[in-house]
Coordinates of all heavy atoms in Angstrom, one line a residue:
M1 N 92.7 -151.6 -95.0 CA 93.1 -152.8 -94.4 C 92.7 -154.0 -95.5 O 91.5 -154.1 -95.8 CB 92.5 -153.0 -93.1 CG 92.9 -154.3 -92.4 SD 92.5 -154.5 -90.7 CE 90.9 -155.3 -90.7
T2 N 93.5 -154.9 -95.7 CA 93.2 -156.0 -96.6 C 92.6 -157.2 -95.9 O 93.2 -157.5 -94.8 CB 94.4 -156.5 -97.4 OG1 95.0 -155.4 -97.9 CG2 94.2 -157.7 -98.3
K3 N 91.5 -157.8 -96.3 CA 91.0 -158.9 -95.6 C 91.8 -160.1 -96.0 O 92.0 -160.5 -97.1 CB 89.6 -159.1 -95.9 CG 88.8 -160.3 -95.2 CD 87.4 -160.4 -95.5 CE 86.8 -161.5 -94.6 NZ 85.4 -161.6 -94.9
L4 N 92.5 -160.9 -95.0 CA 93.3 -162.1 -95.3 C 92.4 -163.2 -95.5 O 91.4 -163.5 -94.8 CB 94.2 -162.1 -94.1 CG 95.1 -161.1 -93.8 CD1 95.9 -161.2 -92.5 CD2 96.2 -161.0 -95.0
P5 N 92.8 -164.1 -96.2 CA 91.9 -165.4 -96.6 C 92.1 -166.4 -95.4 O 93.0 -166.4 -94.7 CB 92.5 -165.9 -97.9 CG 94.0 -165.5 -97.9 CD 93.9 -164.1 -97.2
I6 N 91.0 -167.2 -95.3 CA 91.0 -168.4 -94.3 C 91.5 -169.3 -95.2 O 90.9 -170.0 -96.0 CB 89.8 -168.6 -93.7 CG1 89.3 -167.4 -92.9 CG2 89.9 -169.9 -92.8 CD1 87.9 -167.6 -92.2
A7 N 92.8 -170.0 -94.9 CA 93.4 -170.9 -95.8 C 94.3 -171.8 -94.8 O 94.7 -171.4 -93.8 CB 94.2 -170.3 -96.8
P8 N 94.5 -173.1 -95.2 CA 95.4 -174.0 -94.5 C 96.7 -173.2 -94.1 O 97.4 -172.6 -94.9 CB 95.7 -175.3 -95.3 CG 94.3 -175.3 -96.2 CD 94.0 -173.7 -96.4
G9 N 97.1 -173.2 -92.7 CA 98.4 -172.7 -92.3 C 98.1 -171.3 -91.8 O 99.0 -170.7 -91.0
A10 N 96.9 -170.7 -92.0 CA 96.7 -169.4 -91.4 C 96.3 -169.5 -90.0 O 95.8 -170.5 -89.5 CB 95.4 -168.8 -92.1
N11 N 96.7 -168.5 -89.1 CA 96.4 -168.4 -87.7 C 95.0 -167.6 -87.6 O 95.0 -166.5 -88.2 CB 97.4 -167.9 -87.0 CG 98.6 -168.9 -86.8 OD1 98.5 -170.0 -87.1 ND2 99.9 -168.3 -86.6
I12 N 94.1 -168.1 -86.9 CA 92.8 -167.4 -86.7 C 92.4 -167.1 -85.3 O 93.0 -168.0 -84.4 CB 91.6 -168.1 -87.4 CG1 91.4 -169.5 -86.8 CG2 91.9 -168.1 -89.0 CD1 90.2 -170.1 -87.5
L13 N 91.6 -166.1 -85.0 CA 91.1 -166.0 -83.5 C 89.6 -166.2 -83.5 O 88.9 -165.6 -84.4 CB 91.5 -164.6 -83.2 CG 91.2 -164.2 -81.8 CD1 92.2 -164.9 -80.9 CD2 91.3 -162.7 -81.4
V14 N 89.2 -167.2 -82.8 CA 87.9 -167.5 -82.5 C 87.6 -167.8 -81.1 O 88.4 -168.6 -80.5 CB 87.5 -168.9 -83.3 CG1 86.1 -169.3 -83.2 CG2 87.9 -168.7 -84.7
R15 N 86.5 -167.3 -80.5 CA 86.2 -167.4 -79.1 C 87.3 -167.1 -78.1 O 87.5 -167.8 -77.2 CB 85.6 -168.9 -78.9 CG 84.5 -169.2 -79.6 CD 84.0 -170.6 -79.2 NE 83.2 -171.1 -80.3 CZ 82.5 -172.3 -80.3 NH1 82.9 -173.3 -79.5 NH2 81.7 -172.7 -81.3
D16 N 88.1 -166.1 -78.6 CA 89.2 -165.6 -77.7 C 90.3 -166.4 -77.6 O 91.1 -166.4 -76.7 CB 88.7 -165.1 -76.3 CG 87.6 -164.1 -76.3 OD1 87.8 -163.1 -77.2 OD2 86.8 -164.0 -75.4
A17 N 90.4 -167.3 -78.5 CA 91.6 -168.3 -78.6 C 92.3 -168.3 -80.0 O 91.5 -168.0 -81.0 CB 91.3 -169.6 -78.2
A18 N 93.5 -168.4 -80.1 CA 94.2 -168.5 -81.3 C 94.2 -170.1 -81.8 O 94.5 -170.9 -80.9 CB 95.6 -168.0 -81.2
W19 N 94.0 -170.2 -83.1 CA 93.9 -171.5 -83.7 C 94.7 -171.5 -85.0 O 94.9 -170.5 -85.7 CB 92.5 -171.9 -84.1 CG 91.6 -171.9 -83.0 CD1 91.0 -170.7 -82.4 CD2 91.1 -172.9 -82.1 NE1 90.2 -171.1 -81.3 CE2 90.2 -172.4 -81.1 CE3 91.5 -174.3 -82.1 CZ2 89.7 -173.3 -80.1 CZ3 90.9 -175.1 -81.1 CH2 90.0 -174.5 -80.1
R20 N 95.3 -172.7 -85.5 CA 96.0 -172.8 -86.8 C 95.0 -173.6 -87.6 O 94.6 -174.8 -87.3 CB 97.4 -173.5 -86.7 CG 97.9 -173.6 -88.1 CD 99.5 -173.8 -88.2 NE 100.0 -172.4 -87.7 CZ 101.0 -172.3 -86.9 NH1 101.6 -173.5 -86.5 NH2 101.5 -171.2 -86.5
V21 N 94.7 -173.1 -88.9 CA 93.8 -173.7 -89.7 C 94.5 -175.0 -90.5 O 95.6 -174.8 -91.0 CB 93.3 -172.8 -90.9 CG1 92.5 -173.4 -91.9 CG2 92.6 -171.6 -90.2
R22 N 93.9 -176.2 -90.4 CA 94.5 -177.3 -91.0 C 93.8 -177.5 -92.4 O 94.4 -177.9 -93.4 CB 94.2 -178.6 -90.2 CG 95.2 -178.6 -89.0 CD 95.1 -179.8 -88.4 NE 96.1 -180.2 -87.4 CZ 96.1 -181.0 -86.6 NH1 95.1 -182.0 -86.6 NH2 97.0 -181.2 -85.5
R23 N 92.5 -177.3 -92.5 CA 91.8 -177.5 -93.7 C 90.5 -176.6 -93.7 O 89.9 -176.4 -92.7 CB 91.3 -179.0 -93.8 CG 90.7 -179.5 -95.0 CD 90.6 -181.1 -95.1 NE 89.7 -181.6 -94.1 CZ 89.6 -182.9 -94.0 NH1 90.2 -183.7 -94.6 NH2 88.7 -183.2 -93.1
V24 N 90.1 -176.4 -94.9 CA 88.7 -175.5 -95.2 C 88.1 -176.3 -96.2 O 88.5 -176.6 -97.3 CB 89.1 -174.1 -95.5 CG1 87.9 -173.4 -95.8 CG2 89.9 -173.4 -94.5
E25 N 86.7 -176.5 -96.0 CA 85.9 -177.3 -96.9 C 84.6 -176.4 -97.0 O 84.0 -176.0 -96.1 CB 85.5 -178.7 -96.4 CG 86.8 -179.5 -96.6 CD 86.4 -181.0 -96.3 OE1 85.2 -181.4 -96.3 OE2 87.4 -181.8 -96.0
R26 N 83.9 -176.6 -98.2 CA 82.7 -175.9 -98.4 C 81.7 -176.9 -97.8 O 81.7 -178.1 -98.2 CB 82.3 -175.6 -99.9 CG 83.2 -174.5 -100.4 CD 82.4 -173.2 -100.2 NE 83.2 -172.0 -100.6 CZ 83.1 -170.9 -100.1 NH1 82.3 -170.6 -99.2 NH2 83.9 -169.9 -100.5
V27 N 80.6 -176.4 -97.1 CA 79.6 -177.3 -96.6 C 78.2 -176.7 -97.3 O 78.1 -175.6 -97.9 CB 79.5 -177.3 -95.1 CG1 80.8 -178.2 -94.7 CG2 79.4 -176.0 -94.5
S28 N 77.0 -177.2 -96.8 CA 75.8 -176.8 -97.4 C 75.6 -175.3 -97.0 O 76.0 -174.9 -95.9 CB 74.7 -177.8 -96.9 OG 74.7 -177.7 -95.4
G29 N 74.7 -174.8 -97.8 CA 74.4 -173.3 -97.4 C 75.5 -172.3 -97.9 O 75.5 -171.2 -97.5
G30 N 76.5 -172.7 -98.6 CA 77.7 -171.9 -99.0 C 78.5 -171.5 -97.8 O 79.4 -170.7 -97.9
K31 N 78.4 -172.3 -96.6 CA 79.3 -172.0 -95.5 C 80.6 -172.8 -95.6 O 80.7 -173.6 -96.5 CB 78.7 -172.4 -94.3 CG 77.3 -171.8 -94.0 CD 77.4 -170.3 -93.6 CE 76.0 -169.8 -93.2 NZ 76.0 -168.5 -93.2
R32 N 81.7 -172.4 -94.8 CA 82.9 -173.1 -94.9 C 83.1 -173.8 -93.4 O 82.9 -173.2 -92.4 CB 84.1 -172.2 -95.1 CG 84.0 -171.5 -96.4 CD 85.1 -170.5 -96.5 NE 84.9 -169.4 -95.6 CZ 85.7 -168.3 -95.7 NH1 86.7 -168.2 -96.3 NH2 85.4 -167.4 -94.8
A33 N 83.5 -175.0 -93.4 CA 84.0 -175.8 -92.2 C 85.5 -175.7 -92.2 O 86.1 -175.9 -93.1 CB 83.6 -177.2 -92.4
I34 N 85.8 -175.1 -91.0 CA 87.3 -174.8 -90.8 C 87.8 -175.7 -89.8 O 87.5 -175.6 -88.6 CB 87.4 -173.2 -90.5 CG1 86.7 -172.4 -91.5 CG2 88.9 -172.8 -90.3 CD1 86.4 -171.0 -91.0
E35 N 88.7 -176.5 -90.2 CA 89.3 -177.6 -89.2 C 90.6 -176.9 -88.8 O 91.3 -176.5 -89.4 CB 89.6 -178.8 -89.9 CG 90.1 -179.9 -89.1 CD 90.4 -181.3 -90.0 OE1 89.6 -181.5 -90.7 OE2 91.5 -181.9 -89.7
V36 N 90.7 -176.9 -87.3 CA 91.8 -176.2 -86.7 C 92.5 -177.1 -85.6 O 91.9 -178.0 -85.1 CB 91.3 -174.8 -86.2 CG1 90.9 -173.9 -87.4 CG2 90.3 -175.0 -85.1
V37 N 93.6 -176.6 -85.1 CA 94.2 -177.1 -83.9 C 94.6 -175.8 -83.1 O 95.1 -174.8 -83.6 CB 95.5 -177.9 -84.3 CG1 96.6 -177.1 -85.0 CG2 96.1 -178.6 -83.1
G38 N 94.5 -176.0 -81.8 CA 94.6 -174.9 -80.9 C 96.1 -174.4 -80.8 O 97.0 -175.3 -80.6
L39 N 96.2 -173.1 -80.5 CA 97.6 -172.6 -80.3 C 97.6 -171.8 -78.9 O 98.7 -171.9 -78.2 CB 98.0 -171.4 -81.4 CG 98.0 -172.0 -82.8 CD1 98.3 -170.8 -83.8 CD2 99.3 -173.1 -83.0
S40 N 96.5 -171.2 -78.5 CA 96.6 -170.6 -77.3 C 96.7 -171.6 -76.2 O 96.3 -172.9 -76.4 CB 95.2 -169.8 -77.1 OG 95.2 -168.8 -78.0
E41 N 97.3 -171.2 -74.9 CA 97.4 -172.1 -73.9 C 96.3 -173.0 -73.5 O 96.4 -174.0 -73.3 CB 97.9 -171.3 -72.6 CG 98.4 -172.2 -71.5 CD 98.9 -171.4 -70.3 OE1 99.2 -170.3 -70.5 OE2 99.0 -172.1 -69.3
I42 N 95.1 -172.3 -73.4 CA 93.9 -173.0 -73.0 C 93.3 -174.1 -74.0 O 92.8 -175.1 -73.5 CB 92.8 -172.0 -72.6 CG1 91.8 -172.7 -71.7 CG2 92.2 -171.4 -73.9 CD1 90.8 -171.9 -71.0
V43 N 93.7 -174.0 -75.3 CA 93.2 -174.8 -76.2 C 94.5 -175.6 -77.0 O 94.2 -176.2 -78.0 CB 92.4 -174.2 -77.3 CG1 91.0 -173.5 -76.6 CG2 93.1 -173.0 -77.9
R44 N 95.7 -175.5 -76.5 CA 96.9 -175.9 -77.2 C 96.6 -177.5 -77.5 O 96.2 -178.2 -76.8 CB 98.1 -175.8 -76.4 CG 99.3 -176.2 -77.1 CD 100.6 -175.6 -76.5 NE 100.6 -174.1 -76.8 CZ 100.9 -173.3 -75.8 NH1 101.3 -173.6 -74.7 NH2 100.9 -171.9 -76.2
E45 N 96.8 -177.8 -78.8 CA 96.9 -179.1 -79.4 C 95.4 -179.8 -79.5 O 95.4 -180.8 -79.8 CB 97.8 -180.1 -78.6 CG 99.3 -179.6 -78.7 CD 99.8 -179.5 -80.1 OE1 99.5 -180.4 -81.0 OE2 100.5 -178.5 -80.4
K46 N 94.4 -178.9 -79.1 CA 93.0 -179.4 -79.2 C 92.5 -179.2 -80.7 O 92.9 -178.2 -81.3 CB 92.1 -178.6 -78.3 CG 92.4 -178.7 -76.8 CD 92.3 -180.1 -76.1 CE 92.4 -179.9 -74.8 NZ 93.0 -181.1 -74.2
E47 N 91.7 -180.1 -81.1 CA 91.3 -180.0 -82.5 C 89.8 -179.5 -82.4 O 89.0 -179.9 -81.4 CB 91.3 -181.3 -83.2 CG 92.9 -181.7 -83.3 CD 93.0 -183.1 -84.1 OE1 91.9 -183.8 -84.3 OE2 94.1 -183.4 -84.3
A48 N 89.3 -178.8 -83.4 CA 88.0 -178.3 -83.5 C 87.6 -178.0 -84.9 O 88.6 -177.9 -85.8 CB 87.8 -176.8 -82.6
I49 N 86.3 -177.8 -85.1 CA 85.8 -177.4 -86.5 C 84.8 -176.3 -86.2 O 83.9 -176.5 -85.5 CB 85.1 -178.6 -87.2 CG1 86.1 -179.7 -87.5 CG2 84.5 -178.0 -88.5 CD1 85.5 -181.0 -88.1
F50 N 85.1 -175.2 -86.9 CA 84.2 -174.2 -86.8 C 83.5 -173.9 -88.1 O 84.1 -174.0 -89.2 CB 85.1 -172.8 -86.5 CG 85.7 -172.8 -85.1 CD1 87.1 -172.9 -85.0 CD2 85.1 -172.9 -83.9 CE1 87.7 -173.0 -83.8 CE2 85.7 -172.9 -82.7 CZ 87.1 -172.9 -82.7
I51 N 82.3 -173.4 -88.1 CA 81.6 -173.2 -89.3 C 81.4 -171.7 -89.4 O 80.9 -171.0 -88.6 CB 80.1 -173.8 -89.3 CG1 80.1 -175.4 -88.8 CG2 79.4 -173.5 -90.5 CD1 80.8 -176.1 -90.0
D52 N 82.0 -171.1 -90.5 CA 82.0 -169.8 -90.8 C 80.5 -169.4 -91.0 O 79.7 -169.9 -91.6 CB 82.8 -169.6 -92.1 CG 83.1 -168.2 -92.4 OD1 83.0 -167.3 -91.4 OD2 83.4 -167.8 -93.5
G53 N 80.3 -168.3 -90.2 CA 78.9 -167.7 -90.3 C 78.2 -168.0 -89.1 O 77.1 -167.4 -88.8
Y54 N 78.6 -169.0 -88.2 CA 77.7 -169.3 -87.1 C 78.5 -169.0 -85.8 O 77.9 -168.8 -84.8 CB 77.6 -170.8 -87.0 CG 76.7 -171.4 -88.1 CD1 77.0 -172.3 -88.9 CD2 75.3 -170.8 -88.0 CE1 76.0 -172.8 -89.9 CE2 74.5 -171.3 -89.1 CZ 74.8 -172.3 -89.9 OH 74.0 -172.8 -90.9
E55 N 79.7 -168.5 -85.9 CA 80.4 -167.9 -84.6 C 79.9 -166.6 -84.4 O 80.2 -165.7 -85.2 CB 82.0 -168.0 -84.9 CG 82.5 -169.5 -85.0 CD 82.2 -170.3 -83.8 OE1 82.4 -169.7 -82.6 OE2 81.7 -171.3 -83.9
R56 N 79.4 -166.3 -83.1 CA 79.0 -165.1 -82.7 C 80.0 -163.8 -82.9 O 79.7 -162.9 -83.3 CB 78.4 -165.0 -81.4 CG 77.1 -165.7 -81.1 CD 76.5 -165.4 -79.8 NE 75.3 -166.3 -79.8 CZ 74.8 -166.6 -78.7 NH1 75.2 -166.3 -77.5 NH2 73.7 -167.4 -78.7
G57 N 81.2 -164.1 -82.4 CA 82.2 -163.1 -82.4 C 82.9 -163.1 -83.8 O 83.7 -162.3 -83.9
G58 N 82.7 -164.0 -84.6 CA 83.1 -164.0 -85.8 C 84.6 -164.8 -85.9 O 85.1 -165.3 -84.8
I59 N 85.2 -164.8 -87.0 CA 86.5 -165.4 -87.2 C 87.3 -164.4 -87.7 O 87.2 -163.8 -88.9 CB 86.5 -166.7 -88.1 CG1 85.5 -167.8 -87.5 CG2 87.7 -167.2 -88.4 CD1 85.3 -168.9 -88.5
V60 N 88.5 -164.1 -87.0 CA 89.5 -163.0 -87.4 C 90.7 -163.8 -87.8 O 91.3 -164.6 -87.1 CB 89.8 -162.2 -86.2 CG1 90.9 -161.1 -86.5 CG2 88.5 -161.6 -85.8
V61 N 91.2 -163.5 -89.0 CA 92.4 -164.1 -89.5 C 93.5 -163.1 -89.0 O 93.5 -161.9 -89.1 CB 92.4 -164.1 -91.1 CG1 93.8 -164.7 -91.6 CG2 91.2 -165.0 -91.7
L62 N 94.5 -163.7 -88.3 CA 95.6 -163.0 -87.8 C 96.7 -162.8 -88.9 O 97.0 -163.6 -89.7 CB 96.2 -163.6 -86.5 CG 95.3 -164.0 -85.4 CD1 95.8 -164.9 -84.4 CD2 94.7 -162.7 -84.9
D63 N 97.2 -161.5 -88.8 CA 98.2 -161.2 -89.7 C 99.5 -161.9 -89.5 O 100.0 -161.9 -88.3 CB 98.5 -159.7 -89.7 CG 99.4 -159.2 -90.8 OD1 100.2 -160.0 -91.3 OD2 99.4 -157.9 -91.1
P64 N 100.1 -162.6 -90.4 CA 101.3 -163.4 -90.2 C 102.5 -162.7 -89.6 O 103.3 -163.0 -88.8 CB 101.7 -164.1 -91.6 CG 100.5 -164.0 -92.3 CD 99.6 -162.8 -91.8
A65 N 102.6 -161.4 -90.0 CA 103.5 -160.5 -89.5 C 103.5 -160.1 -88.0 O 104.5 -159.9 -87.3 CB 103.6 -159.1 -90.2
D66 N 102.2 -160.3 -87.4 CA 102.0 -160.0 -86.1 C 101.9 -161.4 -85.1 O 101.7 -161.3 -84.0 CB 100.6 -159.3 -85.8 CG 100.7 -158.0 -86.5 OD1 101.8 -157.4 -86.6 OD2 99.5 -157.4 -86.8
T67 N 102.2 -162.4 -85.9 CA 102.1 -163.8 -85.1 C 103.5 -164.4 -84.9 O 104.3 -164.5 -85.9 CB 101.3 -164.7 -86.0 OG1 100.0 -164.2 -86.3 CG2 101.0 -166.2 -85.3
P68 N 103.8 -164.8 -83.7 CA 105.2 -165.3 -83.4 C 105.4 -166.7 -84.2 O 104.4 -167.4 -84.2 CB 105.3 -165.5 -82.0 CG 103.9 -165.4 -81.5 CD 103.1 -164.5 -82.5
D69 N 106.5 -167.0 -84.6 CA 106.8 -168.3 -85.2 C 107.4 -169.2 -84.3 O 108.4 -169.2 -83.7 CB 107.8 -168.1 -86.4 CG 108.1 -169.3 -87.2 OD1 107.5 -170.3 -87.0 OD2 108.9 -169.2 -88.1
V70 N 106.4 -170.2 -84.0 CA 106.8 -171.2 -82.9 C 108.1 -172.0 -83.4 O 108.9 -172.4 -82.6 CB 105.6 -172.2 -82.6 CG1 106.1 -173.3 -81.7 CG2 104.5 -171.4 -82.1
R71 N 108.2 -172.2 -84.6 CA 109.3 -173.1 -85.2 C 110.6 -172.4 -85.0 O 111.6 -173.0 -85.1 CB 109.1 -173.4 -86.7 CG 107.9 -174.2 -87.0 CD 107.6 -174.2 -88.5 NE 107.4 -172.9 -89.0 CZ 107.4 -172.5 -90.3 NH1 107.8 -173.2 -91.1 NH2 107.1 -171.3 -90.5
A72 N 110.6 -171.1 -84.8 CA 111.8 -170.3 -84.7 C 112.4 -170.5 -83.2 O 113.3 -169.9 -82.8 CB 111.7 -168.9 -85.0
G73 N 111.7 -171.3 -82.5 CA 112.2 -171.4 -81.1 C 111.6 -170.7 -80.0 O 111.7 -170.8 -78.8
H74 N 110.4 -170.1 -80.3 CA 109.5 -169.4 -79.4 C 108.5 -170.5 -78.8 O 108.1 -171.3 -79.6 CB 108.7 -168.3 -80.0 CG 109.7 -167.2 -80.6 ND1 110.4 -166.3 -79.8 CD2 110.0 -167.0 -81.9 CE1 111.1 -165.6 -80.5 NE2 111.0 -165.9 -81.7
G75 N 108.2 -170.3 -77.6 CA 107.0 -171.3 -77.2 C 107.6 -172.6 -76.7 O 106.8 -173.5 -76.5
G76 N 108.8 -172.9 -76.5 CA 109.3 -174.0 -76.0 C 109.5 -175.3 -77.1 O 109.6 -176.4 -76.6
A77 N 109.4 -174.9 -78.3 CA 109.6 -175.9 -79.3 C 110.7 -176.8 -79.2 O 110.8 -178.0 -79.3 CB 109.4 -175.3 -80.7
E78 N 111.9 -176.1 -79.0 CA 113.2 -176.9 -78.9 C 113.1 -177.9 -77.6 O 113.7 -179.0 -77.6 CB 114.4 -176.1 -78.8 CG 114.5 -175.1 -77.7 CD 113.7 -173.8 -77.8 OE1 113.4 -173.4 -78.8 OE2 113.3 -173.5 -76.7
R79 N 112.4 -177.5 -76.5 CA 112.4 -178.2 -75.3 C 111.6 -179.3 -75.6 O 111.9 -180.5 -75.1 CB 111.7 -177.3 -74.2 CG 111.8 -178.1 -72.8 CD 111.2 -177.2 -71.8 NE 110.5 -178.0 -70.8 CZ 109.1 -178.1 -70.7 NH1 108.5 -177.3 -71.3 NH2 108.7 -178.9 -69.8
T80 N 110.5 -179.3 -76.3 CA 109.7 -180.4 -76.7 C 110.3 -181.5 -77.5 O 110.4 -182.7 -77.2 CB 108.4 -180.0 -77.5 OG1 107.6 -179.0 -76.7 CG2 107.5 -181.1 -77.9
E81 N 111.3 -181.0 -78.5 CA 112.0 -182.0 -79.2 C 113.0 -182.7 -78.3 O 113.2 -183.9 -78.5 CB 112.8 -181.2 -80.4 CG 111.8 -180.8 -81.6 CD 112.5 -179.7 -82.4 OE1 113.7 -179.7 -82.4 OE2 111.7 -179.1 -83.2
A82 N 113.6 -182.0 -77.4 CA 114.5 -182.6 -76.5 C 113.8 -183.6 -75.7 O 114.3 -184.7 -75.4 CB 115.2 -181.6 -75.7
M83 N 112.6 -183.3 -75.1 CA 111.9 -184.3 -74.4 C 111.5 -185.5 -75.0 O 111.6 -186.6 -74.5 CB 110.6 -183.6 -73.7 CG 111.0 -182.6 -72.7 SD 109.5 -181.7 -72.1 CE 108.5 -182.9 -71.6
D84 N 111.2 -185.2 -76.3 CA 110.8 -186.4 -77.2 C 112.0 -187.4 -77.5 O 111.9 -188.6 -77.3 CB 110.2 -186.0 -78.6 CG 108.8 -185.5 -78.4 OD1 108.2 -185.6 -77.5 OD2 108.4 -184.7 -79.4
F85 N 113.1 -186.8 -77.6 CA 114.4 -187.5 -77.8 C 114.7 -188.4 -76.7 O 115.0 -189.6 -76.6 CB 115.5 -186.7 -78.2 CG 116.8 -187.3 -78.3 CD1 117.1 -188.0 -79.5 CD2 117.8 -187.3 -77.4 CE1 118.2 -188.8 -79.6 CE2 119.0 -187.9 -77.5 CZ 119.2 -188.7 -78.5
D86 N 114.6 -187.7 -75.4 CA 115.0 -188.4 -74.1 C 114.0 -189.6 -73.8 O 114.3 -190.5 -73.4 CB 114.9 -187.3 -73.0 CG 116.1 -186.3 -72.9 OD1 116.9 -186.8 -73.7 OD2 115.9 -185.4 -72.3
L87 N 112.8 -189.4 -74.3 CA 111.8 -190.5 -74.0 C 112.0 -191.8 -74.9 O 112.0 -192.8 -74.4 CB 110.3 -190.1 -74.6 CG 109.7 -189.1 -73.4 CD1 108.4 -188.6 -74.1 CD2 109.5 -189.7 -72.1
F88 N 112.6 -191.6 -76.1 CA 112.9 -192.6 -77.0 C 114.3 -193.2 -76.6 O 114.5 -194.3 -77.0 CB 112.8 -192.2 -78.5 CG 111.5 -192.0 -78.9 CD1 111.0 -190.7 -79.3 CD2 110.6 -193.0 -79.0 CE1 109.7 -190.5 -79.7 CE2 109.3 -192.7 -79.4 CZ 108.8 -191.4 -79.7
S89 N 115.2 -192.5 -76.0 CA 116.5 -193.1 -75.7 C 116.5 -193.7 -74.3 O 117.5 -194.3 -74.0 CB 117.5 -192.0 -75.8 OG 117.3 -190.9 -74.8
C90 N 115.5 -193.5 -73.5 CA 115.4 -194.1 -72.1 C 115.5 -195.8 -72.3 O 114.9 -196.4 -73.1 CB 114.2 -193.9 -71.4 SG 114.2 -192.2 -70.9
G91 N 116.3 -196.3 -71.4 CA 116.6 -197.8 -71.3 C 117.4 -198.4 -72.4 O 117.3 -199.5 -72.6
Q92 N 118.0 -197.6 -73.1 CA 119.0 -198.1 -74.2 C 120.5 -198.0 -73.9 O 120.9 -197.1 -73.4 CB 118.6 -197.4 -75.5 CG 117.1 -197.7 -75.8 CD 117.0 -197.9 -77.3 OE1 117.9 -197.9 -78.0 NE2 115.7 -197.9 -77.7

């Protein structure tokens, strides 16, 4: 099994929730600060920063082949766009 890198755009599993990596920076002690946004229902759209090496359960990089693509219409993405359009067209 190949270990996948933690890089912007990667999906990771931390504390039993899925997150999308926005940015990775080196911090003191050779650790990495991983800036993420939530994907799982309980953390959706929440922002967080995890420090690699301090998470008890670790950080698991999810294989892109096993991760659904929200942009492809899964997860209600098209519904959200329609709602946004309706909000801006109200009263016009």
Side-chain angles (χ1 to χ4, degrees):
M1 181 167 98
T2 304
K3 185 175 179 178
L4 299 170
I6 298 176
N11 292 339
I12 62 174
L13 188 66
V14 182
R15 301 181 190 176
D16 296 324
W19 304 84
R20 174 150 303 136
V21 177
R22 286 190 171 167
R23 188 168 67 183
V24 179
E25 291 186 18
R26 290 274 176 207
V27 293
S28 63
K31 305 284 185 204
R32 293 178 292 182
I34 305 163
E35 184 180 318
V36 297
V37 63
L39 297 175
S40 296
E41 184 176 345
I42 196 163
V43 295
R44 186 163 288 137
E45 300 302 319
K46 303 287 187 219
E47 296 179 351
I49 297 175
F50 298 111
I51 306 297
D52 191 18
Y54 290 122
E55 292 301 320
R56 280 191 189 159
I59 297 173
V60 177
V61 180
L62 301 174
D63 188 337
D66 298 332
T67 306
D69 186 358
V70 174
R71 294 172 299 158
H74 303 285
E78 65 283 329
R79 187 174 147 255
T80 301
E81 290 171 10
M83 286 175 53
D84 288 346
F85 177 77
D86 290 341
L87 288 173
F88 289 113
S89 63
C90 289
Q92 301 215 8

